[in-house]
Amino acid sequence: MQGALSALRSAVCVIAAALLASCGSKAEEPAQTVAAPPPLVEVVSAVSGDSAGAVRASGLLAYKRETALGFGTPGEIETLTVDEGDRVAAGQTLATLRKTTSGADASEAALARQTAEQNFERISRLHASGAASQVDLDNARLALERARERIAIVAPASGVILQRNAERGQMVSAGQPVLMLGEANTGLIVKASLASSEVTRIGLGDPVEVQVRGRDPLSGKVARIPARTADGSGAFEIEVQIDQPQGLRSGEVAEVLIRPALASTDTVKSFTVPAIALIDARADQGIVFVVDAEGRARSRAVETGGVTDDGVVILKGLAEGDRVITRGASMVRDGDQVRLAVASE
């Protein structure tokens, strides 16, 4: 009897051990995982075109010469006959001032004024004959102003009063700006800022299309390209001369489209891609991803040339027919396998 029980216990142990071994082997089997599909992206084909070579910028309208006018001596403003927006003629008296530093002796003051007037007339005759310089004439005029008890601001040219900085009865110091005059004979210009890569593509005289909100498109040309950046900002402030500026006002915002004359002979093709395709944009540099023949994303360092209504202008880094990733570009890395949502044409 005891032998039978021992045999039964042995059989039960064998069966339990087999069951445990079976459970252990199942637990140790690795879990099967499903690989994530490649990211879905959209692409466009890089195609060069004439519009891609144009340079776009924005700026402000201004008179070529905007002159600050003031008195050469301190005093009290007696008359101020013009206001902002008024049109004035050359030689027109705009304001008068009563000096506050006149000498206490009236006879000495009168003699000083007479001497200054005679000296100014003499220098004026010599200047007209070429025997006196412009500096001599300016010094004689300044001496005359200082000798007079009352002096005036006279418009040096016809134009528009852009700013009025003082009022009648106000005390002003010597040289303090009282009025700002936009000289009409110098014409209206657009001052626009361009990056260094854009400045190298344009030249003096290049045709420009100027767009001011609420007005018909205007024509113009590049009138000045500076030799250095403005205030160390890295941008170059160019000037665009407008052919027909009638009705425009200083301070209005203008968009300019410059069509470089060198574009027709430039062997380097330019492309325009949607702005969403550009990654890590800094100044005129950036990164885009293109899809290679194996369906993998490849990063490309590119040089940009401004922004148009159609997208970002790419000057370097792309070739004709490159499939540039647009939507989904921020989700891929160099070498990633991708799926195309929209095939390039």
Side-chain angles (χ1 to χ4, degrees):
M1 185 69 179
Q2 291 179 351
L5 290 174
S6 297
L8 180 60
R9 291 192 189 98
S10 298
V12 171
C13 290
V14 170
I15 293 171
L19 290 173
L20 288 173
S22 175
C23 292
S25 63
K26 289 182 180 180
E28 292 175 358
E29 289 180 359
Q32 294 182 354
T33 59
V34 179
L40 191 66
V41 300
E42 295 181 5
V43 299
V44 296
S45 291
V47 179
S48 61
D50 295 337
S51 62
V55 176
R56 283 184 180 270
S58 61
L60 294 177
L61 286 168
Y63 284 93
K64 173 68 175 176
R65 184 180 300 158
E66 297 185 350
T67 307
L69 304 177
F71 298 100
T73 60
E76 179 184 353
I77 298 177
E78 284 193 326
T79 63
L80 190 54
T81 59
V82 293
D83 205 345
E84 295 179 4
D86 290 350
R87 294 191 172 273
V88 299
Q92 178 180 338
T93 298
L94 309 179
T96 60
L97 173 138
R98 181 177 63 83
K99 294 172 58 177
T100 57
T101 57
S102 299
D105 192 323
S107 60
E108 290 183 4
L111 179 60
R113 288 195 297 272
Q114 182 180 2
T115 302
E117 290 172 355
Q118 292 173 350
N119 185 58
F120 178 72
E121 292 176 358
R122 180 177 63 85
I123 297 298
S124 297
R125 291 193 299 270
L126 292 175
H127 180 267
S129 64
S133 66
Q134 182 64 43
V135 174
D136 294 332
L137 182 62
D138 292 340
N139 290 337
R141 181 182 291 109
L142 180 59
L144 178 59
E145 289 183 356
R146 289 175 175 172
R148 287 173 174 169
E149 183 179 355
R150 286 178 172 80
I151 56 177
I153 294 177
V154 177
S158 298
V160 179
I161 301 298
L162 304 177
Q163 194 172 358
R164 170 172 161 169
N165 303 314
E167 299 296 334
R168 181 176 177 273
Q170 181 177 333
M171 302 295 295
V172 293
S173 57
Q176 179 179 335
V178 174
L179 300 168
M180 180 69 72
L181 174 68
E183 300 186 18
N185 60 347
T186 63
L188 275 169
I189 60 172
V190 180
K191 295 183 178 181
S193 296
L194 298 182
S196 57
S197 61
E198 297 170 320
V199 169
T200 58
R201 298 172 52 212
I202 67 174
L204 292 175
D206 282 349
V208 181
E209 179 181 310
V210 181
Q211 182 66 61
V212 180
R213 180 173 296 181
R215 306 178 188 273
D216 293 333
L218 304 168
S219 61
K221 62 183 179 181
V222 177
R224 188 181 73 88
I225 302 175
R228 57 177 296 180
T229 59
D231 301 328
S233 62
F236 292 81
E237 188 176 74
I238 68 165
E239 292 182 3
V240 173
Q241 189 78 41
I242 301 176
D243 295 335
Q244 300 293 332
Q246 289 80 4
L248 299 178
R249 296 179 179 273
S250 178
E252 289 187 280
V253 177
E255 300 288 333
V256 298
L257 178 64
I258 307 170
R259 300 189 182 277
L262 298 176
S264 60
T265 59
D266 192 356
T267 58
V268 180
K269 293 182 178 180
S270 300
F271 306 89
T272 302
V273 300
I276 195 175
L278 192 65
I279 306 296
D280 193 25
R282 298 179 182 178
D284 56 356
Q285 305 293 323
I287 299 292
V288 300
F289 284 94
V290 299
V291 180
D292 64 12
E294 299 176 354
R296 294 186 179 276
R298 301 296 182 186
S299 65
R300 293 274 185 87
V302 296
E303 179 180 320
T304 61
V307 180
T308 71
D309 292 338
D310 299 322
V312 180
V313 177
I314 305 298
L315 303 178
K316 295 180 181 178
L318 290 181
E320 195 81 22
D322 277 344
R323 295 182 294 175
V324 181
I325 296 178
T326 55
R327 191 174 302 278
S330 61
M331 304 299 293
V332 301
R333 297 293 182 268
D334 189 48
D336 284 354
Q337 190 75 40
V338 297
R339 294 178 298 148
L340 302 185
V342 178
S344 59
E345 299 179 356

